[in-house]
Structure formats: C-alpha cells, structure tokens
Amino acid sequence: MVRPSDTHVNKIRAAVLRKRGGPLKIESLELESPRDDEVLVRIVASGICHTDISFCDGWEKTDGPVVLGHEGAGIVEQIGKMVRNVKRGDHVVLSYQSCGHCRQCRRGHPTDCDHFYAMNFGFARLDGSNALQQSGVRGHFFGQSSFATYALATERNLVKVSKKLPLEVLAPLGCGLQTGAGTVMNSLKVSKGASIAIFGTGAVGLAAVMAARVVGADPIIGVDIIPMRLKLALELGATHTINSRHDDIASRITDITGRGVDYVLEITGNSKMYRLAIDILNPQGTVAFLTGISGPDSLPEGRKALSIIQGDAVPQRFIPKLITLYRAGQFPFDRLVNFYDFNKINQAVADAKRGTTIKPVLRISET
Ligand SMILES: [Zn+2]
Ligand SMILES: [Zn+2]
C-alpha cells in the first residue's frame, strides 16, 4: 500500500484535453513515481490512433481534463519492486492494458479481459486511483497516456524491443497495426488462397493488407474513398482496389470473386457499410467488425460476424512477430508513418482526420 507521503512525483509535460474537439495543450504536470507493479517509461515517440481522435471529438464535460495517447514507445526509467521482466534502460513498446487475473487473462486471451474497459478507458488504475491526481488531470489511458514525456505502465502492457530499431518507427505497433494484422492472422486465421476485402485502408486496414499478403490471401481487395490510400494499398499487397465514391462495391466484388468473398474487415465505422459487408460475403464467409459494433441482428445462414478487439493479439508475442516480418521486408509499416514534433500534435491530428497522413507519430523526446 502506498501512502500519499511515500509518493514521489515527476515533473512531466503532457498534451491535455480540456475541451471537446481539442485543441490538445501541452502543460506541465506532476506524475507519481511507479508503484510496486508499475514501470515509469520515458516516452520517445507515440503514434496517434483513430481512438484518440474519436475520444477527443466525443469528449464530455463530465470526462474532465485527460491525457490521451496509447501507442507509446520509450525507455524504461524506473521500475517498481515487483517488476521482473524489464529493467532500467530497456527499450519498450507500449500496448493495451489487461488485468492478468481474470479467467480470460489466465487463459491467454487478454483482449477479452473482464476489466478491459476499465483498464483502457477508465482513466484510472483498477483501484480507482490516478497518478496525475496532484495536477487535477486523469491519465492511465490504455494503461499509459503516452501523449506525455513520461508514462506509467505495467509489465502486462510493455513489450521489450531491440535497441537496434528506432523507437519512433516501432511506436504504432502497440494498437493500430497490431489490430489490423492480428485480425487477419489471429482472429480470422486467413489462409493461403482465401479472398478478403478490407473496407477502409487507413493504418489498421493497410496493416491488414500487408498481413493478408504475408499469409498468401488472394484476391486482396482494398476499399476506400481516398486515392492516395488506395494507391498505397496496391503497393503494399492489395490485388485490387475499389474507390467506393465512384464504383459500386458489390458489383465490383462479384466481378472479381465470382461468388463473394471469404472475409471482410469493416473498419470504416460507416453504418451503410455494415450490411454491405455481409451481403458481399460468400455463403460461408465471415465479417470482422473492428470499430466496436457486433454486427446486425440477422445474418444469412452460414455467414458469421465477429467483433474484434486488438486483433486478439497478446502483445508480448505478436509485436515481436510483426517486428521480425518488418525486418524481413514483409511488413513495411514504416511507409504509413509521418513524423511530427510533439508541439505539432494538433496539426498531426488534423492531417490524420483529413486523410493526408495515414499514421502520425509524435517525436516526444530524444533516444
Ligand atoms: Zn483480465
Ligand atoms: Zn488505438
């Protein structure tokens, strides 16, 4: 048990959200030192994910001021007494948080953790405390709040990585890229020769395209309304693309596949696409919804709909696998990334919203 008098604080700089839609303002805050099971990480870089942006745009007064960010990468600065798997100086990528105790965590399925919502969206530790309380701000977003010079994480959401690779490149692996690639490789276990359509070729969708190519899916059909993203999808492994602003998705997919696709990944969050995603499946096909919806009430016989969280990935196993593929040239996710200085965070968000940047990564401190 940590008494308030035992708690040391670290001065940090963090991007604070105090208003719906932003802007995020960089402020000086006080962050508590790590508890026995926690790790203080100096954040070198952080990706910006769609979930950060949609939280920002949906922020309510009752949420109060918060620090977002959940694709951090950095260097371990200090560890709590019970921490065994990382040490000061280690390079780490941060991912989503899970409790480690519930039935799903014990069975190796932390994405289905009983406390997933509380630990990733609760802006507090599971006991309700908050390490930024002295500043009147809440953190712990996805067990990190990485839009900051320092973040508190635990062993459960840290992945140790090689010091040979730049942390600023590795940052986005912890959420968006893991989700897209994990859906193809873990959740759906797409096999060689299977047909797949990907609705939405942003960072998550393009990670899915690259993973589909790795497993030998064919055809791989990318669907989007932004020509630059579709062009990149073709370069990264899509065999066909459909610009749904100009072309009818259903008839194009029938032309390409004859009967319908084996798999659809729905990542647009556009409700008109939900039904279409099912209609273009072949009679035994599966649609994976990646935006939190679980699918429509009725499904034609034989077809399946899944709601996927974080690509069913166990970060400590899956992120090293993605890094191995990256080093072999098979998962060139660095092509999605544009870098921004930390104080350009609002520009980075604006560019991501406009679609001119696929994956913004903030440079927060020097390696
Ligand atoms: Zn759990
Ligand atoms: Zn995310």
Side-chain angles (χ1 to χ4, degrees), residues 144-200:
Q144 47 181 299
S145 287
S146 60
F147 294 162
T149 50
Y150 289 86
L152 283 179
T154 73
E155 287 180 294
R156 291 196 60 77
N157 71 328
L158 290 180
V159 181
K160 196 172 151 180
V161 294
S162 163
K163 290 184 182 173
K164 289 187 189 136
L165 295 168
L167 283 164
E168 60 188 26
V169 171
L170 302 182
L173 288 170
C175 180
L177 300 174
Q178 164 171 279
T179 298
T183 300
V184 170
M185 293 174 152
N186 305 324
S187 315
L188 300 174
K189 299 189 171 57
V190 173
S191 55
K192 195 170 161 56
S195 55
I196 184 167
I198 294 156
F199 288 6

Side-chain angles (χ1 to χ4, degrees), residues 11 24 32 42 55 67 71 94 108 110 155 164 201 206 221 228 247 281 300 311 339 355 357:
K11 298 264 183 219
L24 299 164
E32 290 172 7
R42 178 165 63 80
F55 186 90
V67 179
E71 290 183 343
L94 285 71
E155 287 180 294
K164 289 187 189 136
T201 53
L206 289 171
I221 306 162
M228 177 271 281
D247 288 328
L281 288 175
F339 294 106
T357 291

Side-chain angles (χ1 to χ4, degrees), residues 313-346:
V314 177
Q316 291 78 7
R317 277 209 300 271
F318 196 61
I319 289 175
K321 182 174 170 172
L322 293 179
I323 291 174
T324 302
L325 288 169
Y326 167 68
R327 293 178 106 163
Q330 292 182 279
F331 191 71
F333 67 92
D334 53 334
R335 296 199 48 201
L336 317 184
V337 171
N338 281 358
F339 294 106
Y340 295 82
D341 288 340
F342 191 22
N343 60 17
K344 294 284 189 308
I345 186 167
N346 295 299

